[in-house]
């Protein structure tokens, strides 16, 4: 293998590593209250997740409730009195998607409930085995296909970050402009009030024949 091919393959592998994959989260849900996790996701991204209770005490069969909401507060998933579950959706707006869990009363013996949550987004949700079987891909062809997906995901993420930065810059510039105008108006009001005070005092002293 030539040095150029090695360099290209190394770069491709690094790009693939940089793409977020499935994330496993361990949560300890308190006896009272709610434990939530959130992730900022851009629009038109596929999200797959499943959760399951991990209990070492087999004498107890704790259950939980789960709720997933979008950045605008829309209900995407809601389950009650379950030991495990899963949800899947395609994001319609960019922002923080929140998944909250709480233990059902009297099902956990006043002990914290441990939950394992596996959260996948974007390219991590693709079933590469099915894709390879359907399109008859194998070996290097399959890996190249994965790398193409990884590069595309990185490109979309960079565009999202650039647009978000532009929006934040616009908001910052508008805020600075409003602050500047407010400062100028405040200064103008102070000057006018000071002039009126001087004129009033001058008129008062002249009336009292003090000056």
């Amino acid at each position: 293998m030539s040095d150029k091919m090695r360099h290209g393959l190394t770069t491709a592998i690094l790009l693939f590593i940089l793409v977020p994959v499935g994330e496993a989260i361990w949560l300890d849900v308190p006896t009272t209250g709610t434990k939530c996790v959130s992730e900022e996701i851009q629009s038109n991204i596929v999200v797959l997740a499943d959760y399951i209770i991990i209990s070492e005490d087999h004498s107890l069969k704790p259950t939980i409730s789960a709720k997933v909401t979008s950045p605008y507060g829309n209900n995407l998933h809601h389950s009650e009195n379950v030991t495990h579950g899963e949800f899947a959706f395609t994001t319609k707006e960019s922002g923080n998607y929140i998944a909250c869990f709480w233990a059902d009363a009297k099902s956990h013996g006043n002990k914290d409930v441990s939950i394992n949550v596996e959260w996948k987004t974007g390219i991590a949700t693709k079933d590469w085995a099915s894709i390879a079987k359907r399109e008859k891909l194998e070996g290097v062809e399959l890996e190249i296909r994965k790398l193409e997906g990884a590069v595309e995901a990185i490109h979309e993420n960079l565009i999202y970050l650039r647009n978000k930065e532009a929006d934040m810059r616009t908001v910052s510039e508008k805020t600075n402009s409003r602050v500047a105008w407010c400062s100028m108006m405040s200064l103008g009001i102070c000057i006018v009030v000071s002039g009126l005070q001087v004129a009033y005092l001058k008129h008062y002293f002249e009336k009292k024949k003090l000056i």
Side-chain angles (χ1 to χ4, degrees):
M1 182 181 293
S2 66
D3 293 338
K4 185 176 181 180
M5 292 180 63
R6 289 195 185 97
H7 178 72
L9 182 58
T10 302
T11 303
I13 292 174
L14 288 175
L15 286 173
F16 184 73
I17 293 173
L18 288 173
V19 177
V21 293
E23 181 179 5
I25 306 171
W26 184 284
L27 297 177
D28 289 324
V29 180
T31 55
T32 58
T34 303
K35 183 65 71 72
C36 298
V37 294
S38 66
E39 183 175 356
E40 184 175 356
I41 310 174
Q42 57 183 328
S43 60
N44 298 320
I45 298 296
V46 177
V47 178
L48 298 177
D50 59 74
Y51 52 91
I52 185 171
I53 293 177
I54 307 297
S55 178
E56 297 180 354
D57 188 352
H58 299 289
S59 62
L60 294 174
K61 294 183 178 180
T63 58
I64 59 170
S65 296
K67 185 176 182 180
V68 182
T69 55
S70 71
Y72 293 161
N74 297 321
N75 189 12
L76 302 175
H77 172 76
H78 190 193
S79 294
E80 296 183 355
N81 301 320
V82 297
T83 58
H84 64 279
E86 59 183 19
F87 53 87
F89 57 88
T90 300
T91 59
K92 295 183 179 180
E93 62 264 1
S94 301
N96 282 321
Y97 286 78
I98 304 175
C100 292
F101 304 89
W102 61 94
D104 295 324
K106 299 180 181 180
S107 69
H108 45 74
N110 292 324
K111 295 181 180 179
D112 291 353
V113 179
S114 298
I115 307 174
N116 183 63
V117 182
E118 187 172 358
W119 184 290
K120 297 179 181 180
T121 60
I123 191 173
T125 63
K126 289 188 176 183
D127 186 353
W128 290 109
S130 298
I131 294 175
K133 184 177 180 180
R134 183 176 65 252
E135 301 184 12
K136 298 180 180 180
L137 300 175
E138 59 182 17
V140 176
E141 292 180 342
L142 178 59
E143 295 304 318
I144 291 176
R145 184 67 177 273
K146 291 180 180 179
L147 293 175
E148 288 177 351
V151 172
E152 183 179 354
I154 291 175
H155 179 67
E156 292 177 352
N157 192 42
L158 289 175
I159 293 175
Y160 169 71
L161 293 175
R162 185 181 63 185
N163 293 337
K164 185 176 181 180
E165 181 185 3
D167 292 339
M168 294 179 64
R169 183 169 59 251
T170 300
V171 172
S172 178
E173 290 174 353
K174 289 183 178 179
T175 302
N176 292 337
S177 177
R178 290 173 181 174
V179 170
W181 276 107
C182 184
S183 299
M184 293 177 64
M185 289 179 60
S186 299
L187 180 60
I189 292 172
C190 289
I191 292 174
V192 171
V193 171
S194 298
L196 292 174
Q197 287 180 338
V198 170
Y200 173 78
L201 291 174
K202 183 179 180 181
H203 176 72
Y204 176 80
F205 289 140
E206 288 178 347
K207 185 178 181 180
K208 295 296 184 179
K209 297 182 180 180
L210 297 176
I211 57 174

